[in-house]
């Protein structure tokens, strides 16, 4: 399963979005789609658990978690480093 | 970048300190007793053109950074806490416009004509029935129709709304937007009505006159601040609020401790050679006052350094979890220490501090800073910080 599909599954479960995750384009702004900062923390925690990664502090900013594409790219980067 | 020692000497701070001593302090007791707006103070600030301190020099303002604005708010709050709070809130609104609206014809004109030339006061409407104190969500939504727009909002508190010349209002971007997909909209006097729905008979900060109100306004679409409130909140409203509030709370605490110091000096002069019994308490309280001042000043200098570049990286940094935690920690720290310092001042002075009509009265100071932990509830802030610390590693 590609990282993007896993990211979408986690967003569906923890993102508390106002819209269906299936209908979101990779670059849709998740904050505009209703993700609160509180929900974004739960998304981060679930991603860290699912991929067995730790987001370094410099990645903990809005721009990294603002879209499915940006989250997937951060996860790709961290999982590549881990291997 | 300016340092605190330089800031104290600047024109903006020095002239504000003079108004604090000569005008604000004289009327502070009446403002508090009658729960009325500090008109005299704001007339003086207006005449001295100090209400445009936060406007960039390119638009005719003083271009003061966070450290200088903090020192200005602290200086004013030493004379009158409510005045310091109103000035801080006004600057917060001006900064949102200056940092997110600059370069658009409407907001460029608004800053140079309304704020700089006419020295108008801006209030904000961020609270709303149904959002339970969460400023980052809205129920109401702006309705745009071609070049026009309209908005109605049922607010739980509107600080000095009836005394302001404009209202900066949070709302959802469209009728079908998510609760957190917000924008800021500016309404000028004549474009809105504000129907008071509650009272403002509070323990402290009585001069801010902040009852609930039903807002209804119509304007032009160009009055919607560009971008998302998510960004202007993180990059401007939150840092300006928490740093300027902390600064003014330190000003209130400093005045209370100043009264305690005056009281202790009086006792020392009556008995040279005998240390007044409460003098060591004063020494201990000053340790906390110094820490409190350095806390907000350090955050203000960090902010001024970041915004000196004001590039994409700086704005991203202001949107980072590290910065959000820093702001939360500053706000919680200063809002909790300020009442403690007023309490200490009261213990040092004793009954003359407890009485409301002596030169050593600190009741108003104490009551004013009790608002600090409540305006954006520390409970809410602590739980947000706790949530962030689940993923933030400080590594």
């Amino acid at each position: 399963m590609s990282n993007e599909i896993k990211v979408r599954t986690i967003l569906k479960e923890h993102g508390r979005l106002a819209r269906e995750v299936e209908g979101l384009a990779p670059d849709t702004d998740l904050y505009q789609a209703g993700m609160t900062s509180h929900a974004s923390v739960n998304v981060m925690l679930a991603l860290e658990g699912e991929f067995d990664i730790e987001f370094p502090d410099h990645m903990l900013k809005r721009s990294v978690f603002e879209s499915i594409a940006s989250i997937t790219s951060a996860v790709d980067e961290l999982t590549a480093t881990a291997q | 970048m300016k340092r605190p020692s330089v800031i104290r000497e600047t024109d903006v701070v020095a002239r504000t300190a003079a108004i604090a001593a000569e005008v604000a302090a004289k009327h502070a007791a009446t403002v508090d007793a009658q729960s009325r707006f500090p008109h005299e103070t704001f007339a003086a600030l207006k005449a001295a053109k100090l209400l445009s301190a936060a406007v960039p020099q390119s638009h005719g303002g003083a271009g003061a950074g966070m450290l200088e604005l903090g020192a200005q708010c602290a200086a004013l709050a030493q004379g009158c806490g409510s005045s310091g709070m109103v000035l801080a809130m006004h600057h917060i609104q001006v900064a949102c416009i200056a940092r997110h609206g600059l370069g658009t014809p409407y907001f460029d004109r608004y800053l140079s004509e309304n704020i700089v030339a006419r020295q108008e006061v801006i209030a904000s409407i961020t609270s709303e029935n149904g959002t339970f104190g969460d400023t980052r969500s809205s129920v109401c939504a702006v309705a745009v129709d071609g070049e026009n727009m309209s908005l109605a909002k049922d607010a739980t508190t509107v600080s000095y709304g009836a005394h302001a010349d404009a209202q900066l209002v949070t709302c959802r971007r469209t009728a079908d937007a998510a609760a957190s997909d917000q924008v800021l909209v500016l309404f000028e006097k004549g474009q809105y009505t504000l129907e008071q729905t509650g009272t403002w008979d509070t323990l402290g900060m009585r001069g801010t006159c902040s009852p609930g109100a039903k807002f209804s306004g119509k304007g032009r679409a160009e009055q919607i601040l560009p971008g998302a409130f998510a960004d202007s909140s993180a990059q401007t409203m939150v840092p300006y609020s928490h740093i300027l509030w902390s600064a003014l709370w330190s000003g209130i605490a400093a005045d209370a401790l100043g009264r305690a110091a005056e009281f202790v000096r009086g006792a020392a002069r009556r008995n040279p050679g005998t240390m007044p019994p409460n003098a060591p308490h004063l020494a201990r309280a000053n340790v906390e006052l110094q820490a409190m001042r350095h806390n907000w000043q350090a955050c203000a200098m960090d902010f001024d350094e970041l915004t000196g570049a004001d590039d994409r990286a700086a704005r991203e940094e202001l949107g980072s979890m590290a910065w959000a935690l820093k702001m939360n920690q500053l706000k919680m720290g200063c809002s909790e220490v300020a009442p403690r310092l007023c309490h200490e001042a009261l213990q040092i002075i004793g009954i003359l501090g407890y009485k409301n009509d002596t030169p050593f009265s600190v009741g108003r100071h104490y009551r004013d800073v009790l608002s600090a932990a409540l305006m954006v509830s520390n409970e809410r802030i602590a739980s947000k910080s706790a949530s962030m610390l689940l993923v933030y590693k400080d590594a």
Side-chain angles (χ1 to χ4, degrees), chain B residues 141-227:
Chain B
V142 63
V144 179
D145 181 12
E147 290 187 342
N148 299 313
M149 58 83 187
S150 62
L151 175 65
K153 183 167 186 175
D154 183 6
T156 55
T157 50
V158 184
S159 289
Y160 59 93
H163 307 280
D165 304 294
Q167 312 284 332
L168 192 61
V169 191
T170 51
C171 55
R172 286 183 299 130
R173 184 186 300 277
T174 58
D176 55 3
S180 61
D181 185 11
Q182 299 160 288
V183 287
L184 279 168
V185 188
L186 183 70
F187 291 87
E188 297 182 44
K189 212 174 213 172
Q191 293 183 316
Y192 62 84
T193 55
L194 208 51
E195 180 202 331
Q196 190 174 324
T197 53
T199 57
W200 186 249
D201 183 6
T202 50
L203 259 184
M205 286 294 176
R206 294 169 61 83
T208 63
C209 303
S210 316
K214 277 192 162 65
F215 169 91
S216 176
K218 284 192 170 84
R220 295 175 63 80
E222 62 185 0
Q223 293 170 235
I224 302 172
L225 203 66

Side-chain angles (χ1 to χ4, degrees), chain B residues 59-72:
Chain B
H59 288 63
M66 190 72 89
L67 186 62
E68 191 167 6
L69 294 174
Q72 187 199 19

Side-chain angles (χ1 to χ4, degrees), chain B residues 211-253:
Chain B
K214 277 192 162 65
F215 169 91
S216 176
K218 284 192 170 84
R220 295 175 63 80
E222 62 185 0
Q223 293 170 235
I224 302 172
L225 203 66
F229 178 57
D231 293 325
S232 50
S233 172
Q235 295 167 9
T236 306
M237 190 177 275
V238 169
Y240 272 84
S241 301
H242 291 182
I243 298 173
L244 297 186
W245 291 350
S246 296
L248 77 91
W249 297 329
S250 79
I252 298 172

Side-chain angles (χ1 to χ4, degrees), chain A residues 18 30-38 40-42 44-45 48 53-58 60-63 66, chain B residues 136 173 177-178 180-181 228 230-231 234 312 316-317 319-322 383-384 387-388 390-395:
Chain A
L30 296 173
Y31 293 101
Q32 284 192 11
M35 185 170 71
T36 63
S37 54
H38 180 72
S40 74
V41 167
N42 290 331
M44 292 169 199
L45 285 170
E48 290 189 333
I53 51 173
E54 281 204 341
F55 289 105
D57 291 339
H58 69 83
L60 299 175
K61 53 190 180 190
R62 290 186 73 83
S63 55
E66 72 187 356
Chain B
R136 283 291 288 105
R173 184 186 300 277
S180 61
D181 185 11
D231 293 325
R312 193 184 155 82
E316 277 207 355
E317 175 73 25
S320 72
M321 210 171 258
S383 83
K384 283 197 169 177
S387 158
M388 286 190 271
L390 296 177
V391 286
Y392 184 77
K393 290 109 193 155
D394 197 15

Side-chain angles (χ1 to χ4, degrees), chain B residues 36-74:
Chain B
R36 67 153 175 89
F37 186 75
H39 294 289
E40 302 85 352
T41 306
F42 280 82
L45 291 170
K46 198 168 186 163
K49 301 241 172 225
L50 287 164
L51 294 176
S52 51
V55 175
Q57 288 175 346
S58 60
H59 288 63
M66 190 72 89
L67 186 62
E68 191 167 6
L69 294 174
Q72 187 199 19
C73 292

